[in-house]
Amino acid sequence: MCTHINRVNSTGHKSMISHHKKSEDMISLEGLPADHFLFASESVGEGHPDKVCDQLSDAVLDACLVQDPHAKVACETAAKSNIVMAFGEITMKGKVNIEKTLRDTLREIGYDSKEKGIDSDKCSIVINVDEQQQEIASAVHIGKKEEELCAGDQGHMFGYATDEWDKETLFPLSHYLASHLCLKLAELRKTGEVSWLRPDCKSQVTVEYVKQKDNSIKPLRVFNVLISTQHDDKVTQEEIQKVLVEKVVKSVIPANLLDEKTVYYMNPSGSFQTGGPAADAGLTGRKIVVDTYGGWAPHGGGAFSGKDPTKVDRSAAYYCRYVAKSLVAAGLCHRVQVQVSYAIGMSDPLSIFVDSLGTVKEGMTDYDLLHVVLKNFDFRPGSMIRELKLERPIYKKTASCCHFGRMDPDFTWEFPKKDLKL
């Protein structure tokens, strides 16, 4: 059974905080029209153990790029209890104090004591880093000009954009909201406004959409909201639920998307005092859907964090987002997926695919969109790195709460190319 507490929200309606008790409880789709659908996206905060490792890996990458913009970095991180391990391959000019970088990053996230999840100053650090393998280096960059730079691995990458709710972010609303709930939790914790918050947290937002006759989609309302956050031992569950709804949900989700049927699941498991690496092992690259589009687009499987931009897992995924966003911003389609594939040791992509999901501008086809892409965008690794300025130390801040959908000036892939040649 589900028990519900009625609360009056900012729209004046009564909304429900749900205490989920049994696994057999089912959501009710009664009254949902045939052209409506529900879609959920999740995010995790900067203190989630996997996200901790993403940030640690990207902190090392940034430290290397400060010393050498052409550094070749593949840095993985694992964390459990009071131990952190960094391992991989780094070739660069200069030196980086990896241990200090890891400890500083843990401290910035908020893990400054074992009670919170890991102690930045007292945890054990294990480092096992070699130089980049010579055969790979020769195939990718040694003796090559910028335009001749080759892909650092094989693989396929995707980009996505949608104008479903705004004309700037061009990003799925469900994932935008989920990501910003976690950002808000970090803000309230770090400013001290909510003293009982601790770093580990997760969110999930289900949005009710309508699919329109032109195949575009429009969000109508938030169906439910889920937040699970770590906390200290002094706060009650009632206070947690109240604060999460009033100070987090209502500050992030527009009031017009909340109604009397919206259900809030606030810390549904109850007590969540033990979090971070103390509760679960963390590993770089295990939140690849959180990092991208919240389930709205395919994923090639390659993680981003800890990789310099010669690794097309990262640079080509950013570039596909840039291409997709440029097509939607130009009004050529309402939604679009872009795929590209590569072979290691080759600069030109093996394939490029464009799918407007049936929303291409009247009088055009997806084949036309593909030709627009070919006329305006260069998918060779060296060209992508140059156009998006990817050799800057900007990556640590990408590693928490999504690489896309944030209009940060350093996120060059979020600013569409204008005046496309048709």
Side-chain angles (χ1 to χ4, degrees), residues 385-415:
I385 291 169
R386 181 182 64 249
E387 186 170 1
L388 297 183
K389 302 176 182 178
L390 296 180
E391 291 181 331
R392 297 166 296 140
I394 58 165
Y395 294 104
K396 185 172 71 172
K397 62 181 174 180
T398 70
S400 176
C401 296
C402 200
H403 296 245
F404 307 132
R406 292 192 280 161
M407 301 305 293
D408 186 307
D410 285 332
F411 293 15
T412 50
W413 50 93
E414 290 298 316
F415 296 87

CSV table of all heavy atoms in Angstrom, one decimal, residues 385-415:
chain,number,residue,atom,x,y,z
A,385,ILE,N,38.6,19.1,-31.9
A,385,ILE,CA,39.3,19.6,-30.8
A,385,ILE,C,39.6,21.1,-31.0
A,385,ILE,O,39.4,21.9,-30.1
A,385,ILE,CB,40.7,18.9,-30.6
A,385,ILE,CG1,40.4,17.4,-30.1
A,385,ILE,CG2,41.6,19.6,-29.6
A,385,ILE,CD1,41.6,16.5,-30.2
A,386,ARG,N,39.9,21.5,-32.2
A,386,ARG,CA,40.2,22.9,-32.5
A,386,ARG,C,38.9,23.7,-32.4
A,386,ARG,O,38.8,24.8,-31.8
A,386,ARG,CB,40.8,23.1,-33.9
A,386,ARG,CG,41.1,24.5,-34.2
A,386,ARG,CD,41.7,24.7,-35.6
A,386,ARG,NE,40.8,24.3,-36.6
A,386,ARG,CZ,40.9,23.2,-37.4
A,386,ARG,NH1,41.9,22.3,-37.2
A,386,ARG,NH2,40.0,22.9,-38.3
A,387,GLU,N,37.8,23.3,-33.1
A,387,GLU,CA,36.6,24.0,-33.1
A,387,GLU,C,35.9,24.2,-31.7
A,387,GLU,O,35.4,25.3,-31.4
A,387,GLU,CB,35.6,23.4,-34.1
A,387,GLU,CG,34.3,24.2,-34.3
A,387,GLU,CD,33.5,23.6,-35.4
A,387,GLU,OE1,33.8,22.6,-36.0
A,387,GLU,OE2,32.4,24.2,-35.7
A,388,LEU,N,36.0,23.2,-30.9
A,388,LEU,CA,35.4,23.3,-29.6
A,388,LEU,C,36.4,23.7,-28.5
A,388,LEU,O,36.0,23.7,-27.3
A,388,LEU,CB,34.7,22.0,-29.2
A,388,LEU,CG,33.5,21.5,-30.2
A,388,LEU,CD1,32.9,20.2,-29.6
A,388,LEU,CD2,32.5,22.6,-30.3
A,389,LYS,N,37.6,23.9,-28.9
A,389,LYS,CA,38.6,24.3,-27.9
A,389,LYS,C,38.7,23.3,-26.7
A,389,LYS,O,38.6,23.7,-25.5
A,389,LYS,CB,38.3,25.7,-27.4
A,389,LYS,CG,38.3,26.7,-28.5
A,389,LYS,CD,37.9,28.1,-28.0
A,389,LYS,CE,37.8,29.1,-29.1
A,389,LYS,NZ,37.3,30.5,-28.6
A,390,LEU,N,38.9,22.1,-27.1
A,390,LEU,CA,38.9,21.0,-26.1
A,390,LEU,C,40.2,20.7,-25.3
A,390,LEU,O,40.2,19.8,-24.5
A,390,LEU,CB,38.4,19.7,-26.7
A,390,LEU,CG,36.9,19.8,-27.3
A,390,LEU,CD1,36.6,18.5,-28.0
A,390,LEU,CD2,35.9,20.2,-26.2
A,391,GLU,N,41.2,21.5,-25.6
A,391,GLU,CA,42.5,21.2,-24.9
A,391,GLU,C,42.6,22.1,-23.6
A,391,GLU,O,43.7,22.2,-23.1
A,391,GLU,CB,43.7,21.4,-25.8
A,391,GLU,CG,43.7,20.3,-26.9
A,391,GLU,CD,44.9,20.5,-27.8
A,391,GLU,OE1,45.3,21.7,-28.0
A,391,GLU,OE2,45.4,19.5,-28.3
A,392,ARG,N,41.5,22.7,-23.2
A,392,ARG,CA,41.5,23.5,-22.0
A,392,ARG,C,41.2,22.6,-20.7
A,392,ARG,O,40.5,21.6,-20.8
A,392,ARG,CB,40.4,24.6,-22.1
A,392,ARG,CG,40.7,25.6,-23.2
A,392,ARG,CD,39.4,26.4,-23.5
A,392,ARG,NE,38.4,25.6,-23.9
A,392,ARG,CZ,37.1,25.7,-23.6
A,392,ARG,NH1,36.7,26.6,-22.7
A,392,ARG,NH2,36.1,24.9,-24.1
A,393,PRO,N,41.6,23.1,-19.5
A,393,PRO,CA,41.4,22.3,-18.3
A,393,PRO,C,40.0,22.6,-17.8
A,393,PRO,O,39.8,23.3,-16.7
A,393,PRO,CB,42.5,22.7,-17.4
A,393,PRO,CG,42.8,24.1,-17.8
A,393,PRO,CD,42.6,24.2,-19.3
A,394,ILE,N,38.9,22.1,-18.4
A,394,ILE,CA,37.6,22.5,-18.1
A,394,ILE,C,36.7,21.3,-17.6
A,394,ILE,O,35.5,21.4,-17.4
A,394,ILE,CB,36.9,23.1,-19.3
A,394,ILE,CG1,36.9,22.0,-20.5
A,394,ILE,CG2,37.5,24.4,-19.7
A,394,ILE,CD1,36.0,22.3,-21.6
A,395,TYR,N,37.4,20.1,-17.5
A,395,TYR,CA,36.6,18.9,-17.4
A,395,TYR,C,36.0,18.5,-16.1
A,395,TYR,O,35.0,17.8,-16.0
A,395,TYR,CB,37.4,17.8,-18.0
A,395,TYR,CG,37.7,18.0,-19.5
A,395,TYR,CD1,38.9,18.4,-20.0
A,395,TYR,CD2,36.7,17.8,-20.4
A,395,TYR,CE1,39.1,18.7,-21.3
A,395,TYR,CE2,36.9,18.0,-21.8
A,395,TYR,CZ,38.1,18.5,-22.2
A,395,TYR,OH,38.3,18.7,-23.6
A,396,LYS,N,36.7,18.9,-15.0
A,396,LYS,CA,36.2,18.5,-13.7
A,396,LYS,C,34.7,18.9,-13.5
A,396,LYS,O,33.9,18.2,-12.9
A,396,LYS,CB,37.0,19.0,-12.6
A,396,LYS,CG,36.6,18.5,-11.2
A,396,LYS,CD,37.6,18.8,-10.1
A,396,LYS,CE,37.6,20.3,-9.8
A,396,LYS,NZ,38.4,20.6,-8.6
A,397,LYS,N,34.4,20.1,-13.9
A,397,LYS,CA,33.0,20.6,-13.7
A,397,LYS,C,32.0,19.9,-14.6
A,397,LYS,O,30.8,20.0,-14.4
A,397,LYS,CB,32.9,22.1,-13.8
A,397,LYS,CG,33.3,22.7,-15.1
A,397,LYS,CD,33.2,24.2,-15.0
A,397,LYS,CE,33.7,24.9,-16.3
A,397,LYS,NZ,33.6,26.4,-16.2
A,398,THR,N,32.5,19.3,-15.7
A,398,THR,CA,31.5,18.6,-16.5
A,398,THR,C,31.1,17.3,-15.9
A,398,THR,O,30.1,16.7,-16.2
A,398,THR,CB,32.1,18.2,-17.9
A,398,THR,OG1,33.2,17.2,-17.8
A,398,THR,CG2,32.7,19.4,-18.6
A,399,ALA,N,31.9,16.8,-14.9
A,399,ALA,CA,31.8,15.4,-14.4
A,399,ALA,C,30.7,15.2,-13.4
A,399,ALA,O,30.5,14.2,-12.8
A,399,ALA,CB,33.1,14.9,-13.8
A,400,SER,N,29.9,16.3,-13.0
A,400,SER,CA,28.9,16.2,-12.1
A,400,SER,C,27.6,16.9,-12.6
A,400,SER,O,27.7,18.0,-13.1
A,400,SER,CB,29.3,16.9,-10.7
A,400,SER,OG,28.2,16.9,-9.8
A,401,CYS,N,26.5,16.2,-12.6
A,401,CYS,CA,25.2,16.7,-13.0
A,401,CYS,C,25.1,17.0,-14.5
A,401,CYS,O,24.6,18.1,-14.9
A,401,CYS,CB,24.8,17.9,-12.2
A,401,CYS,SG,24.6,17.5,-10.4
A,402,CYS,N,25.7,16.2,-15.3
A,402,CYS,CA,25.5,16.2,-16.8
A,402,CYS,C,26.5,17.0,-17.5
A,402,CYS,O,26.8,18.2,-17.2
A,402,CYS,CB,24.1,16.5,-17.2
A,402,CYS,SG,23.7,15.9,-18.8
A,403,HIS,N,27.0,16.5,-18.6
A,403,HIS,CA,27.9,17.2,-19.5
A,403,HIS,C,27.2,18.1,-20.5
A,403,HIS,O,27.8,18.9,-21.1
A,403,HIS,CB,28.8,16.2,-20.3
A,403,HIS,CG,29.7,15.3,-19.5
A,403,HIS,ND1,31.0,15.4,-19.6
A,403,HIS,CD2,29.4,14.4,-18.5
A,403,HIS,CE1,31.6,14.5,-18.7
A,403,HIS,NE2,30.6,13.9,-18.1
A,404,PHE,N,25.9,17.9,-20.6
A,404,PHE,CA,25.1,18.6,-21.6
A,404,PHE,C,23.9,19.4,-20.9
A,404,PHE,O,23.6,19.1,-19.8
A,404,PHE,CB,24.5,17.7,-22.6
A,404,PHE,CG,25.6,16.8,-23.3
A,404,PHE,CD1,25.4,15.4,-23.4
A,404,PHE,CD2,26.8,17.3,-23.7
A,404,PHE,CE1,26.3,14.6,-24.0
A,404,PHE,CE2,27.7,16.5,-24.3
A,404,PHE,CZ,27.5,15.2,-24.4
A,405,GLY,N,23.3,20.3,-21.6
A,405,GLY,CA,22.2,21.0,-21.1
A,405,GLY,C,22.5,22.1,-20.1
A,405,GLY,O,21.6,22.7,-19.5
A,406,ARG,N,23.8,22.5,-20.0
A,406,ARG,CA,24.1,23.6,-19.1
A,406,ARG,C,24.9,24.7,-19.9
A,406,ARG,O,25.8,24.4,-20.6
A,406,ARG,CB,25.1,23.1,-18.0
A,406,ARG,CG,24.3,22.2,-17.0
A,406,ARG,CD,25.2,21.9,-15.8
A,406,ARG,NE,26.2,20.9,-16.0
A,406,ARG,CZ,27.3,20.8,-15.2
A,406,ARG,NH1,27.5,21.6,-14.2
A,406,ARG,NH2,28.2,19.8,-15.5
A,407,MET,N,24.4,25.9,-19.8
A,407,MET,CA,24.9,27.0,-20.6
A,407,MET,C,26.1,27.6,-20.0
A,407,MET,O,26.2,28.9,-19.8
A,407,MET,CB,23.8,28.0,-20.9
A,407,MET,CG,22.6,27.4,-21.6
A,407,MET,SD,23.0,26.6,-23.2
A,407,MET,CE,23.6,28.0,-24.2
A,408,ASP,N,27.1,26.8,-19.7
A,408,ASP,CA,28.4,27.3,-19.1
A,408,ASP,C,29.2,27.8,-20.3
A,408,ASP,O,29.4,27.0,-21.3
A,408,ASP,CB,29.1,26.2,-18.4
A,408,ASP,CG,30.3,26.6,-17.6
A,408,ASP,OD1,31.2,27.2,-18.3
A,408,ASP,OD2,30.4,26.3,-16.4
A,409,PRO,N,29.8,29.0,-20.2
A,409,PRO,CA,30.7,29.4,-21.4
A,409,PRO,C,31.8,28.5,-21.7
A,409,PRO,O,32.2,28.5,-22.9
A,409,PRO,CB,31.2,30.8,-20.8
A,409,PRO,CG,30.2,31.2,-19.8
A,409,PRO,CD,29.7,30.0,-19.2
A,410,ASP,N,32.3,27.7,-20.8
A,410,ASP,CA,33.3,26.7,-21.1
A,410,ASP,C,32.8,25.5,-21.9
A,410,ASP,O,33.6,24.8,-22.5
A,410,ASP,CB,34.0,26.2,-19.9
A,410,ASP,CG,35.0,27.3,-19.3
A,410,ASP,OD1,35.5,28.1,-20.1
A,410,ASP,OD2,35.2,27.3,-18.1
A,411,PHE,N,31.5,25.3,-21.9
A,411,PHE,CA,30.9,24.1,-22.6
A,411,PHE,C,30.6,24.6,-24.0
A,411,PHE,O,29.4,24.8,-24.4
A,411,PHE,CB,29.6,23.7,-21.8
A,411,PHE,CG,29.8,23.1,-20.5
A,411,PHE,CD1,31.0,23.2,-19.8
A,411,PHE,CD2,28.8,22.4,-19.9
A,411,PHE,CE1,31.2,22.7,-18.5
A,411,PHE,CE2,29.0,21.8,-18.6
A,411,PHE,CZ,30.2,22.0,-17.9
A,412,THR,N,31.6,24.7,-24.8
A,412,THR,CA,31.5,25.2,-26.1
A,412,THR,C,30.5,24.5,-27.0
A,412,THR,O,29.9,25.0,-27.9
A,412,THR,CB,32.8,25.3,-26.8
A,412,THR,OG1,33.5,24.0,-26.7
A,412,THR,CG2,33.7,26.3,-26.2
A,413,TRP,N,30.3,23.2,-26.7
A,413,TRP,CA,29.4,22.3,-27.5
A,413,TRP,C,28.0,22.7,-27.3
A,413,TRP,O,27.1,22.2,-28.0
A,413,TRP,CB,29.7,20.9,-27.2
A,413,TRP,CG,29.7,20.6,-25.7
A,413,TRP,CD1,28.6,20.2,-24.9
A,413,TRP,CD2,30.8,20.7,-24.8
A,413,TRP,NE1,29.0,20.1,-23.6
A,413,TRP,CE2,30.4,20.3,-23.5
A,413,TRP,CE3,32.2,21.0,-25.0
A,413,TRP,CZ2,31.2,20.3,-22.4
A,413,TRP,CZ3,33.0,21.0,-23.9
A,413,TRP,CH2,32.5,20.7,-22.6
A,414,GLU,N,27.7,23.5,-26.3
A,414,GLU,CA,26.3,23.9,-26.0
A,414,GLU,C,25.9,25.2,-26.7
A,414,GLU,O,24.8,25.7,-26.6
A,414,GLU,CB,26.1,24.2,-24.5
A,414,GLU,CG,26.2,22.9,-23.7
A,414,GLU,CD,25.0,21.9,-24.0
A,414,GLU,OE1,23.9,22.4,-24.2
A,414,GLU,OE2,25.3,20.7,-24.2
A,415,PHE,N,26.8,25.8,-27.5
A,415,PHE,CA,26.5,27.0,-28.3
A,415,PHE,C,26.5,26.7,-29.8
A,415,PHE,O,27.5,26.5,-30.4
A,415,PHE,CB,27.5,28.1,-27.9
A,415,PHE,CG,27.5,28.4,-26.5
A,415,PHE,CD1,28.2,27.7,-25.5
A,415,PHE,CD2,26.7,29.5,-26.0
A,415,PHE,CE1,28.1,28.1,-24.1
A,415,PHE,CE2,26.6,29.8,-24.7
A,415,PHE,CZ,27.3,29.1,-23.7
